[in-house]
Amino acid sequence: AKELDKPVLIEATANQVNQFGGYTGMKPEDFMRFVLDLADKVGMDRKLLIPGGDHLGPLTWVSEPESSAMEKAKELVRQFVAAGFTKIHLDTSMKLGDDAADKPLATEVIARRGVELYKVCMVAYEKRLEQVPDALRPVFIIGSEVPIPGGAQEEEEGISVTKPEDF
C-alpha cells in the first residue's frame, strides 16, 4: 500500500480483538495503536489505512443468553468505534444461548439486534467527534452473507445475494 500509495483495509474479528483481549491479547484500542505504529515505522501515510472490525456482534458469546451476549456485543462495537475503526461489519445472524435450536433465527430478530448495535456505534462516534473533530464516520457492512470469520473453509459455489424480502 505504501509503495503504490493506495489504501489498505486491515481488519480484526471479535475473536481476535475484543474488550477482554481476544486471542491476540489486544483490545480494540491496542490493535489500533499496533497498526498505527507499524504504519509510522514504515513511513506510510496513516490516511491510507482503513481499520475494520469484521463480524462484530455476539458471535464470541453464542452460548450465552441474548441479554448477556448482546451487552458484550454492544461494548465490543462501542470500543471499536471509539478506537477509530471506520469499517464496521455488524453481524447478528447467529443463534444465541436462549434462541430456539429447532427453528431458523427470525430475520426480525437479526435486524433488531443489528439496529441495537448500530445505535451504540453512532453514540460512540458522536463521543469520538468530541475528542477527534475530523474523525471519519464509520461505514457499515450489515449481514452475514459473506465467508465466516477467518474465511471460507471449503470452496464456495458463488455469492449468495440477499433476497429483497429479507432486506
Side-chain angles (χ1 to χ4, degrees):
K2 177 188 170 189
E3 289 175 12
L4 299 174
D5 197 36
K6 300 286 184 190
V8 62
L9 173 64
I10 300 176
E11 296 185 308
T13 67
N15 289 327
Q16 295 168 319
V17 174
N18 61 44
Q19 65 268 39
F20 304 109
Y23 68 72
T24 63
M26 287 190 268
K27 296 177 181 178
E29 185 177 289
D30 302 326
F31 185 81
M32 181 65 79
R33 188 171 31 257
F34 172 74
V35 170
L36 293 175
D37 287 349
L38 283 175
D40 292 345
K41 184 178 178 180
V42 300
M44 183 174 167
D45 183 353
R46 288 180 170 198
K47 290 181 181 178
L48 293 175
L49 295 175
I50 303 168
D54 198 28
H55 291 279
L56 302 183
L59 177 68
T60 306
W61 306 286
V62 293
S63 63
E64 296 183 22
E66 178 179 5
S67 59
S68 63
M70 284 299 292
E71 283 307 308
K72 289 175 182 170
K74 288 174 185 177
E75 180 59 18
L76 172 75
V77 299
R78 187 197 68 73
Q79 286 192 23
F80 266 80
V81 173
F85 287 77
T86 55
K87 182 265 184 183
I88 304 294
H89 173 196
L90 298 177
D91 184 356
T92 56
S93 64
M94 62 290 304
K95 289 184 180 185
L96 301 178
D98 51 0
D99 289 325
D102 60 340
K103 58 184 179 178
L105 190 58
T107 301
E108 292 78 11
V109 171
I110 295 168
R112 176 182 49 78
R113 291 173 180 170
V115 168
E116 289 176 25
L117 296 182
Y118 172 82
K119 287 179 178 179
V120 170
C121 289
M122 293 311 297
V123 169
Y125 171 66
E126 292 299 324
K127 287 184 181 178
R128 180 167 170 73
L129 281 175
E130 294 170 10
Q131 308 259 325
V132 185
D134 62 343
L136 293 176
R137 185 183 188 280
V139 173
F140 293 89
I141 309 302
I142 310 291
S144 64
E145 291 156 330
V146 296
I148 61 170
Q153 303 301 309
E154 67 265 348
E155 188 174 326
E156 295 184 42
E157 295 201 16
I159 296 173
S160 174
V161 178
T162 302
K163 296 175 190 167
E165 59 271 16
D166 289 341
F167 177 76

